[in-house]
Amino acid sequence: MVELEPLHCLIKYCVGQSKAEEASILVTNLREARDFAHMSLRFAVRIQEVDNGAAELFDVESGKKLGRMAVLFDETGTVDHEQWTWIDGNSTTALH
Protein backbone atom coordinates (compact mmCIF):
# COMPACT_ATOMS: atom_id res chain seq x y z
CA MET A 1 0.00 0.00 0.00
CA VAL A 2 1.34 3.43 -0.97
CA GLU A 3 1.39 6.10 1.75
CA LEU A 4 0.14 9.43 0.48
CA GLU A 5 1.88 12.58 1.64
CA PRO A 6 -0.82 14.89 3.00
CA LEU A 7 -1.17 18.36 1.52
CA HIS A 8 -1.50 21.00 4.22
CA CYS A 9 -3.55 23.89 2.82
CA LEU A 10 -4.48 27.29 4.13
CA ILE A 11 -7.79 28.64 2.86
CA LYS A 12 -8.31 32.40 3.03
CA TYR A 13 -11.91 33.23 2.33
CA CYS A 14 -14.29 36.16 2.34
CA VAL A 15 -18.08 35.94 2.25
CA GLY A 16 -20.12 38.94 1.09
CA GLN A 17 -18.67 42.10 2.62
CA SER A 18 -17.29 40.40 5.76
CA LYS A 19 -13.61 40.50 6.72
CA ALA A 20 -11.34 37.71 5.51
CA GLU A 21 -11.16 34.48 7.52
CA GLU A 22 -8.68 31.60 7.42
CA ALA A 23 -8.91 27.83 7.82
CA SER A 24 -6.27 25.11 7.66
CA ILE A 25 -6.96 21.64 6.24
CA LEU A 26 -5.06 18.43 5.54
CA VAL A 27 -6.01 16.71 2.28
CA THR A 28 -4.54 14.13 -0.07
CA ASN A 29 -4.37 16.33 -3.18
CA LEU A 30 -5.32 19.67 -4.72
CA ARG A 31 -8.61 18.36 -6.10
CA GLU A 32 -9.72 17.40 -2.61
CA ALA A 33 -8.64 20.83 -1.27
CA ARG A 34 -10.56 22.57 -4.05
CA ASP A 35 -13.68 20.49 -3.39
CA PHE A 36 -13.48 21.20 0.35
CA ALA A 37 -13.02 24.94 -0.24
CA HIS A 38 -15.93 25.03 -2.70
CA MET A 39 -18.31 23.18 -0.38
CA SER A 40 -17.29 25.26 2.65
CA LEU A 41 -17.51 28.55 0.75
CA ARG A 42 -20.88 27.60 -0.73
CA PHE A 43 -22.22 26.69 2.74
CA ALA A 44 -20.86 29.91 4.31
CA VAL A 45 -22.50 32.03 1.60
CA ARG A 46 -25.85 30.29 2.16
CA ILE A 47 -25.88 30.49 5.97
CA GLN A 48 -24.80 34.14 5.96
CA GLU A 49 -27.59 34.88 3.46
CA VAL A 50 -25.40 36.73 0.98
CA ASP A 51 -24.96 36.03 -2.71
CA ASN A 52 -21.18 35.75 -3.16
CA GLY A 53 -17.88 34.67 -1.68
CA ALA A 54 -14.26 34.09 -2.70
CA ALA A 55 -11.37 31.96 -1.46
CA GLU A 56 -7.65 31.51 -2.07
CA LEU A 57 -5.79 28.26 -1.35
CA PHE A 58 -2.14 28.16 -0.31
CA ASP A 59 0.36 25.36 0.41
CA VAL A 60 1.25 25.95 4.07
CA GLU A 61 4.80 24.57 3.76
CA SER A 62 5.90 26.56 0.71
CA GLY A 63 3.50 29.51 0.94
CA LYS A 64 2.73 28.99 -2.77
CA LYS A 65 -0.74 30.02 -3.94
CA LEU A 66 -2.47 26.93 -5.32
CA GLY A 67 -5.45 28.76 -6.77
CA ARG A 68 -8.53 30.81 -6.03
CA MET A 69 -12.24 30.53 -6.49
CA ALA A 70 -15.46 32.48 -6.34
CA VAL A 71 -19.06 31.44 -5.90
CA LEU A 72 -22.08 33.52 -6.88
CA PHE A 73 -25.78 32.82 -6.37
CA ASP A 74 -28.49 34.50 -8.42
CA GLU A 75 -31.99 33.96 -7.10
CA THR A 76 -33.70 36.90 -8.79
CA GLY A 77 -35.37 34.99 -11.61
CA THR A 78 -37.73 32.04 -11.75
CA VAL A 79 -34.79 29.60 -11.64
CA ASP A 80 -32.06 29.83 -8.97
CA HIS A 81 -28.57 29.80 -10.43
CA GLU A 82 -25.15 29.10 -8.93
CA GLN A 83 -21.91 29.93 -10.69
CA TRP A 84 -18.48 29.05 -9.40
CA THR A 85 -15.06 29.58 -10.87
CA TRP A 86 -11.64 28.07 -10.07
CA ILE A 87 -8.36 29.50 -11.35
CA ASP A 88 -5.12 27.56 -10.82
CA GLY A 89 -1.98 29.02 -9.29
CA ASN A 90 -0.96 32.66 -9.16
CA SER A 91 -2.94 33.74 -12.22
CA THR A 92 -4.32 37.26 -12.08
CA THR A 93 -7.26 36.37 -14.35
CA ALA A 94 -10.51 37.89 -13.12
CA LEU A 95 -12.80 35.51 -11.24
CA HIS A 96 -15.92 36.66 -13.09
Side-chain angles (χ1 to χ4, degrees):
M1 180 175 222
V2 175
E3 292 265 338
L4 296 175
E5 180 91 15
L7 175 62
H8 189 187
C9 291
L10 175 68
I11 305 171
K12 294 182 179 181
Y13 62 94
C14 186
V15 175
Q17 300 299 314
S18 66
K19 69 177 191 129
E21 301 283 341
E22 295 183 354
S24 175
I25 60 170
L26 279 174
V27 292
T28 56
N29 57 44
L30 181 57
R31 170 175 252 146
E32 194 174 278
R34 186 179 71 182
D35 288 347
F36 180 89
H38 175 233
M39 295 280 287
S40 300
L41 183 59
R42 186 179 191 283
F43 183 70
V45 167
R46 298 309 256 168
I47 65 171
Q48 292 187 31
E49 298 180 344
V50 294
D51 64 1
N52 66 75
E56 293 179 304
L57 275 72
F58 297 87
D59 181 320
V60 169
E61 290 183 26
S62 69
K64 176 183 172 190
K65 186 190 289 187
L66 302 172
R68 57 199 172 101
M69 70 174 49
V71 64
L72 173 67
F73 288 95
D74 181 359
E75 298 171 335
T76 58
T78 56
V79 176
D80 293 351
H81 178 74
E82 174 189 351
Q83 177 181 345
W84 76 280
T85 305
W86 168 260
I87 298 177
D88 285 323
N90 281 323
S91 175
T92 57
T93 303
L95 285 168
H96 52 36

Coordinates of all heavy atoms in Angstrom, one line a residue:
M1 N 0.8 -1.2 0.0 CA 0.0 0.0 0.0 C 0.9 1.3 0.0 O 1.8 1.3 0.8 CB -0.9 0.0 1.2 CG -1.8 1.2 1.3 SD -2.9 1.0 2.7 CE -4.4 1.5 1.9
V2 N 0.6 2.2 -0.8 CA 1.3 3.4 -1.0 C 0.8 4.5 0.0 O -0.4 4.7 0.1 CB 1.2 4.0 -2.4 CG1 1.9 5.3 -2.5 CG2 1.8 3.0 -3.4
E3 N 1.7 5.0 0.8 CA 1.4 6.1 1.8 C 1.3 7.4 1.0 O 2.3 7.8 0.3 CB 2.4 6.2 2.9 CG 2.5 5.0 3.8 CD 1.6 5.3 5.0 OE1 1.4 6.4 5.4 OE2 1.2 4.3 5.6
L4 N 0.3 8.1 1.1 CA 0.1 9.4 0.5 C 0.6 10.5 1.4 O 0.3 10.5 2.6 CB -1.3 9.7 0.1 CG -1.9 8.8 -0.9 CD1 -3.4 9.1 -1.1 CD2 -1.2 8.9 -2.3
E5 N 1.4 11.4 0.9 CA 1.9 12.6 1.6 C 0.7 13.6 1.7 O 0.2 14.0 0.7 CB 3.1 13.2 0.9 CG 3.6 14.4 1.6 CD 4.8 14.1 2.5 OE1 5.3 13.0 2.5 OE2 5.1 14.9 3.3
P6 N 0.3 13.9 2.9 CA -0.8 14.9 3.0 C -0.4 16.3 2.5 O 0.8 16.7 2.6 CB -1.2 14.9 4.5 CG 0.0 14.4 5.2 CD 0.8 13.5 4.2
L7 N -1.4 17.0 2.0 CA -1.2 18.4 1.5 C -1.8 19.2 2.6 O -3.0 19.1 2.8 CB -1.8 18.6 0.2 CG -1.8 20.0 -0.4 CD1 -0.4 20.5 -0.6 CD2 -2.6 20.0 -1.7
H8 N -1.0 20.1 3.2 CA -1.5 21.0 4.2 C -1.8 22.3 3.5 O -0.9 23.0 3.0 CB -0.4 21.2 5.3 CG -1.0 21.9 6.5 ND1 -0.1 22.3 7.5 CD2 -2.2 22.3 6.9 CE1 -0.8 22.9 8.4 NE2 -2.1 23.0 8.1
C9 N -3.1 22.7 3.5 CA -3.6 23.9 2.8 C -4.1 24.9 3.8 O -4.7 24.6 4.8 CB -4.7 23.6 1.8 SG -4.1 22.6 0.4
L10 N -3.9 26.2 3.4 CA -4.5 27.3 4.1 C -5.5 27.9 3.2 O -5.2 28.1 2.0 CB -3.4 28.4 4.5 CG -4.0 29.6 5.1 CD1 -4.5 29.3 6.5 CD2 -2.9 30.7 5.2
I11 N -6.7 28.0 3.7 CA -7.8 28.6 2.9 C -8.1 30.0 3.4 O -8.4 30.1 4.6 CB -9.1 27.8 2.9 CG1 -8.8 26.4 2.4 CG2 -10.2 28.5 2.0 CD1 -10.0 25.4 2.6
K12 N -7.9 31.1 2.6 CA -8.3 32.4 3.0 C -9.6 32.7 2.3 O -9.6 32.6 1.0 CB -7.2 33.4 2.7 CG -5.9 33.2 3.4 CD -4.9 34.3 3.0 CE -3.6 34.1 3.8 NZ -2.6 35.1 3.5
Y13 N -10.6 33.0 3.0 CA -11.9 33.2 2.3 C -12.6 34.5 2.9 O -12.4 34.9 4.0 CB -12.8 32.0 2.4 CG -13.2 31.6 3.8 CD1 -14.4 32.1 4.4 CD2 -12.4 30.8 4.6 CE1 -14.8 31.8 5.7 CE2 -12.8 30.5 5.9 CZ -13.9 31.0 6.4 OH -14.3 30.6 7.7
C14 N -13.5 35.0 2.0 CA -14.3 36.2 2.3 C -15.7 35.9 1.8 O -15.9 35.5 0.6 CB -13.7 37.4 1.7 SG -14.5 38.9 2.2
V15 N -16.7 36.2 2.6 CA -18.1 35.9 2.2 C -18.8 37.3 2.3 O -18.8 38.0 3.3 CB -18.8 34.9 3.2 CG1 -20.2 34.8 2.9 CG2 -18.1 33.6 3.1
G16 N -19.4 37.6 1.2 CA -20.1 38.9 1.1 C -19.1 40.1 1.4 O -18.0 40.1 0.8
Q17 N -19.5 41.0 2.3 CA -18.7 42.1 2.6 C -17.9 41.9 3.9 O -17.3 42.8 4.5 CB -19.5 43.4 2.7 CG -20.2 43.7 1.4 CD -19.2 44.0 0.3 OE1 -18.3 44.7 0.4 NE2 -19.5 43.4 -0.9
S18 N -17.9 40.7 4.5 CA -17.3 40.4 5.8 C -15.8 40.4 5.6 O -15.2 40.3 4.5 CB -17.8 39.1 6.3 OG -17.3 38.0 5.5
K19 N -15.1 40.5 6.7 CA -13.6 40.5 6.7 C -13.1 39.1 6.4 O -13.8 38.1 6.6 CB -13.0 41.0 8.0 CG -13.2 40.1 9.2 CD -12.5 40.6 10.4 CE -12.5 39.6 11.5 NZ -11.3 39.3 12.1
A20 N -11.9 39.0 5.9 CA -11.3 37.7 5.5 C -11.1 36.8 6.7 O -10.8 37.3 7.8 CB -10.0 37.9 4.8
E21 N -11.4 35.5 6.5 CA -11.2 34.5 7.5 C -10.2 33.5 7.0 O -10.0 33.4 5.8 CB -12.5 33.8 7.8 CG -13.6 34.7 8.4 CD -13.4 35.1 9.8 OE1 -12.6 34.4 10.5 OE2 -14.0 36.1 10.2
E22 N -9.6 32.6 7.8 CA -8.7 31.6 7.4 C -9.0 30.3 8.0 O -9.6 30.2 9.1 CB -7.2 32.0 7.8 CG -6.7 33.2 7.1 CD -5.2 33.4 7.5 OE1 -4.7 32.8 8.4 OE2 -4.7 34.4 6.9
A23 N -8.7 29.2 7.3 CA -8.9 27.8 7.8 C -7.8 27.0 7.3 O -7.3 27.2 6.2 CB -10.2 27.3 7.4
S24 N -7.3 26.0 8.1 CA -6.3 25.1 7.7 C -6.9 23.7 7.5 O -7.6 23.3 8.4 CB -5.2 25.1 8.7 OG -4.2 24.2 8.4
I25 N -6.5 23.0 6.5 CA -7.0 21.6 6.2 C -5.8 20.7 5.8 O -4.8 21.2 5.2 CB -8.1 21.6 5.2 CG1 -7.6 22.1 3.8 CG2 -9.3 22.3 5.7 CD1 -8.6 21.9 2.7
L26 N -6.0 19.5 6.1 CA -5.1 18.4 5.5 C -5.8 17.6 4.6 O -6.9 17.1 4.9 CB -4.5 17.5 6.7 CG -3.4 18.0 7.5 CD1 -3.1 17.1 8.6 CD2 -2.1 18.2 6.6
V27 N -5.3 17.5 3.3 CA -6.0 16.7 2.3 C -5.0 15.8 1.6 O -3.8 16.0 1.8 CB -6.7 17.7 1.3 CG1 -7.9 18.4 1.9 CG2 -5.7 18.7 0.7
T28 N -5.5 15.0 0.7 CA -4.5 14.1 -0.1 C -4.1 14.7 -1.4 O -3.0 14.3 -1.9 CB -5.2 12.8 -0.4 OG1 -6.4 13.0 -1.1 CG2 -5.5 12.0 0.9
N29 N -4.8 15.7 -1.9 CA -4.4 16.3 -3.2 C -5.1 17.7 -3.4 O -6.0 18.0 -2.6 CB -4.6 15.4 -4.4 CG -6.0 14.9 -4.5 OD1 -7.0 15.7 -4.4 ND2 -6.2 13.6 -4.8
L30 N -4.7 18.4 -4.4 CA -5.3 19.7 -4.7 C -6.8 19.6 -5.1 O -7.6 20.4 -4.7 CB -4.6 20.4 -5.8 CG -5.1 21.8 -6.2 CD1 -5.1 22.7 -5.0 CD2 -4.2 22.3 -7.3
R31 N -7.2 18.5 -5.8 CA -8.6 18.4 -6.1 C -9.5 18.3 -4.8 O -10.5 18.9 -4.7 CB -8.8 17.1 -7.0 CG -10.3 16.8 -7.1 CD -10.6 15.7 -8.1 NE -11.1 16.3 -9.2 CZ -11.0 15.9 -10.5 NH1 -10.2 14.9 -10.7 NH2 -11.5 16.5 -11.5
E32 N -9.0 17.5 -3.9 CA -9.7 17.4 -2.6 C -9.8 18.8 -1.9 O -10.8 19.1 -1.3 CB -9.0 16.4 -1.7 CG -9.9 15.9 -0.6 CD -9.2 14.7 0.2 OE1 -9.3 13.6 -0.3 OE2 -8.5 15.0 1.2
A33 N -8.7 19.5 -1.9 CA -8.6 20.8 -1.3 C -9.6 21.8 -2.0 O -10.4 22.5 -1.3 CB -7.2 21.4 -1.3
R34 N -9.6 21.7 -3.3 CA -10.6 22.6 -4.0 C -12.0 22.2 -3.8 O -12.8 23.1 -3.5 CB -10.3 22.4 -5.5 CG -11.1 23.4 -6.4 CD -10.7 23.2 -7.8 NE -11.3 21.9 -8.3 CZ -11.1 21.5 -9.5 NH1 -10.4 22.2 -10.4 NH2 -11.6 20.3 -9.9
D35 N -12.3 20.9 -3.7 CA -13.7 20.5 -3.4 C -14.1 20.9 -2.0 O -15.2 21.4 -1.8 CB -13.8 19.0 -3.5 CG -13.8 18.5 -5.0 OD1 -13.9 19.3 -5.9 OD2 -13.6 17.3 -5.2
F36 N -13.2 20.8 -1.0 CA -13.5 21.2 0.3 C -13.7 22.7 0.4 O -14.7 23.2 1.0 CB -12.3 20.8 1.3 CG -12.6 21.2 2.7 CD1 -13.2 20.3 3.6 CD2 -12.2 22.5 3.2 CE1 -13.5 20.7 4.9 CE2 -12.4 22.8 4.5 CZ -13.1 22.0 5.3
A37 N -12.9 23.5 -0.2 CA -13.0 24.9 -0.2 C -14.3 25.3 -0.9 O -15.0 26.2 -0.4 CB -11.8 25.6 -0.9
H38 N -14.7 24.7 -2.0 CA -15.9 25.0 -2.7 C -17.1 24.7 -1.8 O -18.0 25.6 -1.7 CB -16.0 24.3 -4.0 CG -17.3 24.4 -4.7 ND1 -18.1 23.4 -5.1 CD2 -18.0 25.6 -5.1 CE1 -19.2 23.9 -5.7 NE2 -19.2 25.2 -5.7
M39 N -17.2 23.5 -1.2 CA -18.3 23.2 -0.4 C -18.4 24.1 0.8 O -19.5 24.5 1.2 CB -18.2 21.7 0.1 CG -18.3 20.7 -1.0 SD -19.9 20.4 -1.5 CE -20.5 19.4 -0.1
S40 N -17.3 24.4 1.5 CA -17.3 25.3 2.6 C -17.7 26.7 2.3 O -18.5 27.3 3.0 CB -15.9 25.3 3.3 OG -15.5 24.0 3.7
L41 N -17.2 27.2 1.2 CA -17.5 28.6 0.8 C -19.0 28.6 0.4 O -19.7 29.6 0.8 CB -16.6 28.9 -0.4 CG -16.8 30.3 -1.0 CD1 -16.5 31.4 0.1 CD2 -15.8 30.5 -2.2
R42 N -19.5 27.6 -0.3 CA -20.9 27.6 -0.7 C -21.8 27.6 0.5 O -22.7 28.3 0.6 CB -21.1 26.3 -1.6 CG -22.5 26.2 -2.2 CD -22.5 24.9 -3.0 NE -23.7 24.9 -3.8 CZ -24.9 24.7 -3.3 NH1 -25.1 24.4 -2.0 NH2 -26.0 24.7 -4.1
F43 N -21.4 26.8 1.5 CA -22.2 26.7 2.7 C -22.2 28.0 3.5 O -23.2 28.5 4.0 CB -21.7 25.6 3.6 CG -22.5 25.3 4.9 CD1 -23.8 24.8 4.8 CD2 -21.9 25.7 6.1 CE1 -24.5 24.6 6.0 CE2 -22.6 25.5 7.3 CZ -23.9 25.0 7.2
A44 N -21.0 28.6 3.6 CA -20.9 29.9 4.3 C -21.7 31.0 3.6 O -22.3 31.8 4.3 CB -19.4 30.3 4.4
V45 N -21.7 31.0 2.3 CA -22.5 32.0 1.6 C -24.0 31.8 1.9 O -24.7 32.8 2.2 CB -22.2 31.9 0.1 CG1 -23.3 32.7 -0.7 CG2 -20.8 32.5 -0.2
R46 N -24.4 30.6 1.9 CA -25.8 30.3 2.2 C -26.3 30.6 3.6 O -27.3 31.2 3.8 CB -26.1 28.8 1.9 CG -25.9 28.4 0.5 CD -26.6 29.3 -0.5 NE -27.8 28.7 -1.0 CZ -28.7 29.3 -1.7 NH1 -28.6 30.6 -2.0 NH2 -29.7 28.7 -2.2
I47 N -25.5 30.3 4.6 CA -25.9 30.5 6.0 C -25.8 32.0 6.4 O -26.5 32.4 7.2 CB -25.1 29.6 7.0 CG1 -23.7 29.9 7.1 CG2 -25.4 28.2 6.7 CD1 -22.9 29.3 8.2
Q48 N -24.9 32.7 5.7 CA -24.8 34.1 6.0 C -25.8 35.0 5.1 O -25.8 36.2 5.2 CB -23.4 34.6 5.8 CG -22.4 34.0 6.8 CD -21.1 34.6 6.8 OE1 -20.9 35.8 6.4 NE2 -20.1 33.8 7.1
E49 N -26.5 34.3 4.3 CA -27.6 34.9 3.5 C -27.1 36.0 2.6 O -27.7 37.1 2.5 CB -28.8 35.3 4.3 CG -29.4 34.1 5.0 CD -30.6 34.5 5.9 OE1 -30.7 35.7 6.2 OE2 -31.4 33.6 6.3
V50 N -25.9 35.8 2.0 CA -25.4 36.7 1.0 C -25.4 36.0 -0.4 O -25.8 34.8 -0.5 CB -24.0 37.2 1.4 CG1 -24.1 38.1 2.6 CG2 -23.0 36.1 1.6
D51 N -24.9 36.7 -1.4 CA -25.0 36.0 -2.7 C -23.6 35.7 -3.3 O -23.5 35.3 -4.4 CB -25.8 36.8 -3.7 CG -25.2 38.2 -4.0 OD1 -24.1 38.6 -3.4 OD2 -25.8 39.0 -4.7
N52 N -22.5 36.0 -2.6 CA -21.2 35.7 -3.2 C -20.1 35.5 -2.1 O -20.3 35.9 -0.9 CB -20.8 36.9 -4.1 CG -20.5 38.2 -3.3 OD1 -19.5 38.3 -2.6 ND2 -21.5 39.1 -3.4
G53 N -19.0 34.9 -2.5 CA -17.9 34.7 -1.7 C -16.7 34.3 -2.5 O -16.8 33.9 -3.7
A54 N -15.5 34.4 -2.0 CA -14.3 34.1 -2.7 C -13.3 33.4 -1.7 O -13.3 33.7 -0.5 CB -13.7 35.3 -3.3
A55 N -12.4 32.6 -2.3 CA -11.4 32.0 -1.5 C -10.1 31.8 -2.2 O -10.1 31.7 -3.5 CB -11.9 30.6 -1.0
E56 N -9.0 31.8 -1.5 CA -7.7 31.5 -2.1 C -7.1 30.3 -1.3 O -7.2 30.3 -0.1 CB -6.7 32.7 -1.9 CG -7.1 33.9 -2.7 CD -6.1 35.1 -2.5 OE1 -5.9 35.5 -1.4 OE2 -5.6 35.5 -3.5
L57 N -6.4 29.4 -2.0 CA -5.8 28.3 -1.4 C -4.3 28.4 -1.5 O -3.7 28.7 -2.5 CB -6.2 27.0 -2.0 CG -7.5 26.4 -1.6 CD1 -8.7 27.2 -2.0 CD2 -7.7 24.9 -2.0
F58 N -3.6 28.1 -0.4 CA -2.1 28.2 -0.3 C -1.6 26.9 0.3 O -2.2 26.2 1.1 CB -1.7 29.3 0.6 CG -2.1 30.7 0.1 CD1 -3.3 31.2 0.5 CD2 -1.2 31.4 -0.7 CE1 -3.7 32.4 0.0 CE2 -1.6 32.7 -1.1 CZ -2.9 33.2 -0.8
D59 N -0.4 26.5 -0.2 CA 0.4 25.4 0.4 C 1.0 25.9 1.6 O 1.8 26.9 1.5 CB 1.4 24.8 -0.6 CG 2.2 23.7 0.0 OD1 2.6 23.7 1.2 OD2 2.5 22.7 -0.8
V60 N 0.7 25.4 2.8 CA 1.2 26.0 4.1 C 2.8 25.9 4.1 O 3.4 26.8 4.5 CB 0.6 25.2 5.3 CG1 1.3 25.6 6.6 CG2 -0.9 25.6 5.4
E61 N 3.4 24.8 3.7 CA 4.8 24.6 3.8 C 5.6 25.5 2.9 O 6.6 26.1 3.3 CB 5.2 23.1 3.4 CG 4.7 22.2 4.5 CD 5.1 20.7 4.2 OE1 6.1 20.5 3.5 OE2 4.5 19.8 4.7
S62 N 5.2 25.7 1.6 CA 5.9 26.6 0.7 C 5.4 28.0 0.6 O 6.1 28.9 0.2 CB 5.9 26.0 -0.7 OG 4.5 26.0 -1.2
G63 N 4.1 28.2 1.1 CA 3.5 29.5 0.9 C 3.0 29.8 -0.5 O 2.4 30.8 -0.7
K64 N 3.2 28.8 -1.4 CA 2.7 29.0 -2.8 C 1.2 29.0 -2.9 O 0.5 28.2 -2.3 CB 3.3 27.8 -3.6 CG 2.9 27.8 -5.0 CD 3.4 26.6 -5.7 CE 2.8 26.5 -7.1 NZ 3.1 25.2 -7.8
K65 N 0.7 30.0 -3.7 CA -0.7 30.0 -3.9 C -1.1 28.9 -4.9 O -0.5 28.8 -6.0 CB -1.2 31.3 -4.5 CG -2.7 31.5 -4.7 CD -3.2 32.6 -5.5 CE -3.0 33.9 -4.8 NZ -3.6 35.1 -5.5
L66 N -2.0 28.1 -4.5 CA -2.5 26.9 -5.3 C -3.6 27.3 -6.3 O -3.8 26.7 -7.3 CB -2.9 25.8 -4.4 CG -1.9 25.3 -3.4 CD1 -2.5 24.3 -2.5 CD2 -0.7 24.7 -4.2
G67 N -4.4 28.3 -5.9 CA -5.4 28.8 -6.8 C -6.4 29.6 -6.0 O -6.3 29.8 -4.8
R68 N -7.5 30.0 -6.7 CA -8.5 30.8 -6.0 C -9.9 30.5 -6.7 O -9.9 30.0 -7.8 CB -8.2 32.3 -6.1 CG -8.0 32.8 -7.4 CD -7.2 34.2 -7.4 NE -6.9 34.5 -8.7 CZ -7.5 35.5 -9.5 NH1 -8.5 36.1 -8.9 NH2 -7.2 35.7 -10.7
M69 N -10.9 30.8 -6.0 CA -12.2 30.5 -6.5 C -13.2 31.6 -6.0 O -13.0 32.3 -5.1 CB -12.7 29.2 -6.1 CG -13.0 29.0 -4.6 SD -13.8 27.4 -4.1 CE -12.7 26.3 -4.9
A70 N -14.3 31.6 -6.7 CA -15.5 32.5 -6.3 C -16.7 31.7 -6.5 O -16.8 30.8 -7.4 CB -15.5 33.7 -7.2
V71 N -17.7 32.0 -5.7 CA -19.1 31.4 -5.9 C -20.1 32.6 -5.9 O -19.9 33.5 -5.1 CB -19.4 30.4 -4.8 CG1 -19.4 31.0 -3.4 CG2 -20.6 29.6 -5.1
L72 N -21.1 32.5 -6.7 CA -22.1 33.5 -6.9 C -23.4 32.9 -7.0 O -23.6 31.9 -7.8 CB -21.8 34.4 -8.1 CG -22.8 35.4 -8.5 CD1 -22.9 36.5 -7.4 CD2 -22.5 36.0 -9.8
F73 N -24.4 33.3 -6.3 CA -25.8 32.8 -6.4 C -26.7 33.9 -6.9 O -26.5 35.1 -6.5 CB -26.3 32.4 -5.0 CG -25.7 31.2 -4.5 CD1 -24.6 31.2 -3.6 CD2 -26.2 29.9 -4.8 CE1 -24.1 30.1 -3.1 CE2 -25.7 28.8 -4.3 CZ -24.6 28.8 -3.5
D74 N -27.5 33.6 -7.9 CA -28.5 34.5 -8.4 C -29.9 33.9 -8.2 O -30.2 32.9 -8.9 CB -28.2 34.8 -9.9 CG -29.2 35.8 -10.5 OD1 -30.1 36.2 -9.8 OD2 -29.0 36.0 -11.7
E75 N -30.7 34.5 -7.4 CA -32.0 34.0 -7.1 C -33.1 35.0 -7.5 O -34.2 34.9 -6.9 CB -32.1 33.6 -5.6 CG -31.1 32.5 -5.2 CD -31.0 32.2 -3.8 OE1 -31.3 33.2 -3.0 OE2 -30.6 31.1 -3.4
T76 N -32.8 35.8 -8.4 CA -33.7 36.9 -8.8 C -34.7 36.4 -9.8 O -35.8 37.0 -9.9 CB -33.0 38.1 -9.3 OG1 -32.2 37.7 -10.5 CG2 -32.0 38.7 -8.3
G77 N -34.4 35.4 -10.6 CA -35.4 35.0 -11.6 C -36.2 33.8 -11.1 O -36.3 33.6 -9.9
T78 N -36.9 33.2 -12.1 CA -37.7 32.0 -11.8 C -36.9 30.8 -11.5 O -37.4 29.8 -10.8 CB -38.7 31.7 -12.9 OG1 -38.0 31.5 -14.1 CG2 -39.7 32.9 -13.1
V79 N -35.7 30.7 -11.9 CA -34.8 29.6 -11.6 C -33.6 30.1 -10.9 O -32.9 31.0 -11.3 CB -34.4 28.9 -13.0 CG1 -33.4 27.8 -12.7 CG2 -35.6 28.5 -13.7
D80 N -33.3 29.5 -9.7 CA -32.1 29.8 -9.0 C -30.8 29.4 -9.7 O -30.9 28.3 -10.4 CB -32.1 29.2 -7.6 CG -33.1 29.7 -6.7 OD1 -33.8 30.7 -7.1 OD2 -33.4 29.1 -5.6
H81 N -29.8 30.1 -9.7 CA -28.6 29.8 -10.4 C -27.3 30.0 -9.5 O -27.2 30.9 -8.8 CB -28.5 30.8 -11.6 CG -27.3 30.5 -12.5 ND1 -27.1 29.5 -13.3 CD2 -26.1 31.3 -12.6 CE1 -25.9 29.6 -13.9 NE2 -25.3 30.6 -13.5
E82 N -26.4 29.0 -9.6 CA -25.2 29.1 -8.9 C -24.0 29.1 -10.0 O -24.1 28.2 -10.9 CB -25.0 27.9 -8.0 CG -23.6 27.9 -7.3 CD -23.2 26.7 -6.5 OE1 -24.2 25.9 -6.3 OE2 -22.1 26.5 -6.2
Q83 N -23.1 29.9 -9.8 CA -21.9 29.9 -10.7 C -20.7 29.9 -9.8 O -20.6 30.6 -8.8 CB -21.9 31.2 -11.5 CG -20.6 31.3 -12.4 CD -20.6 32.6 -13.2 OE1 -21.6 33.3 -13.4 NE2 -19.5 32.9 -13.8
W84 N -19.7 29.0 -10.1 CA -18.5 29.1 -9.4 C -17.3 28.9 -10.4 O -17.5 28.3 -11.4 CB -18.4 28.0 -8.3 CG -18.2 26.6 -8.7 CD1 -19.2 25.7 -9.1 CD2 -17.0 25.9 -8.6 NE1 -18.6 24.5 -9.4 CE2 -17.3 24.6 -9.0 CE3 -15.7 26.2 -8.2 CZ2 -16.3 23.6 -9.1 CZ3 -14.7 25.2 -8.2 CH2 -15.0 23.9 -8.7
T85 N -16.2 29.5 -10.0 CA -15.1 29.6 -10.9 C -13.8 29.2 -10.1 O -13.7 29.6 -8.9 CB -14.9 31.0 -11.4 OG1 -16.1 31.5 -12.0 CG2 -13.7 31.1 -12.3
W86 N -12.9 28.4 -10.7 CA -11.6 28.1 -10.1 C -10.5 28.5 -11.0 O -10.6 28.2 -12.2 CB -11.6 26.6 -9.8 CG -10.2 26.1 -9.5 CD1 -9.3 25.5 -10.3 CD2 -9.5 26.2 -8.2 NE1 -8.1 25.2 -9.6 CE2 -8.2 25.7 -8.3 CE3 -9.9 26.8 -7.0 CZ2 -7.3 25.6 -7.3 CZ3 -9.0 26.8 -5.9 CH2 -7.7 26.2 -6.1
I87 N -9.5 29.1 -10.5 CA -8.4 29.5 -11.4 C -7.1 29.0 -10.7 O -6.9 29.3 -9.5 CB -8.3 31.0 -11.5 CG1 -9.5 31.5 -12.3 CG2 -7.0 31.4 -12.3 CD1 -9.6 33.0 -12.5
D88 N -6.3 28.2 -11.4 CA -5.1 27.6 -10.8 C -4.0 28.6 -10.6 O -3.9 29.6 -11.3 CB -4.6 26.5 -11.8 CG -5.4 25.2 -11.8 OD1 -5.8 24.8 -10.7 OD2 -5.5 24.6 -12.9
G89 N -3.2 28.3 -9.5 CA -2.0 29.0 -9.3 C -2.1 30.5 -9.0 O -3.1 31.0 -8.4
N90 N -1.1 31.2 -9.4 CA -1.0 32.7 -9.2 C -1.6 33.5 -10.2 O -1.3 34.7 -10.3 CB 0.5 33.1 -9.0 CG 1.0 32.7 -7.6 OD1 0.3 32.8 -6.6 ND2 2.3 32.3 -7.6
S91 N -2.4 33.0 -11.1 CA -2.9 33.7 -12.2 C -3.7 35.0 -11.7 O -4.3 34.9 -10.7 CB -3.9 32.9 -13.0 OG -4.6 33.6 -14.0
T92 N -3.6 36.0 -12.4 CA -4.3 37.3 -12.1 C -5.6 37.4 -12.9 O -6.2 38.5 -12.9 CB -3.4 38.5 -12.3 OG1 -3.0 38.5 -13.7 CG2 -2.2 38.5 -11.4
T93 N -6.0 36.4 -13.6 CA -7.3 36.4 -14.4 C -8.4 36.7 -13.4 O -8.5 36.2 -12.3 CB -7.5 35.0 -15.0 OG1 -6.4 34.7 -15.8 CG2 -8.7 35.0 -15.8
A94 N -9.3 37.5 -13.9 CA -10.5 37.9 -13.1 C -11.3 36.7 -12.8 O -11.4 35.7 -13.6 CB -11.3 38.9 -13.9
L95 N -12.0 36.6 -11.6 CA -12.8 35.5 -11.2 C -14.2 35.6 -11.9 O -15.0 34.6 -11.7 CB -12.9 35.5 -9.7 CG -11.7 35.0 -9.0 CD1 -11.8 35.2 -7.5 CD2 -11.5 33.5 -9.2
H96 N -14.6 36.6 -12.5 CA -15.9 36.7 -13.1 C -15.8 36.8 -14.6 O -14.9 37.0 -15.2 CB -16.7 37.8 -12.5 CG -16.1 39.1 -12.6 ND1 -15.2 39.5 -13.6 CD2 -16.0 40.2 -11.7 CE1 -14.8 40.8 -13.4 NE2 -15.2 41.1 -12.2

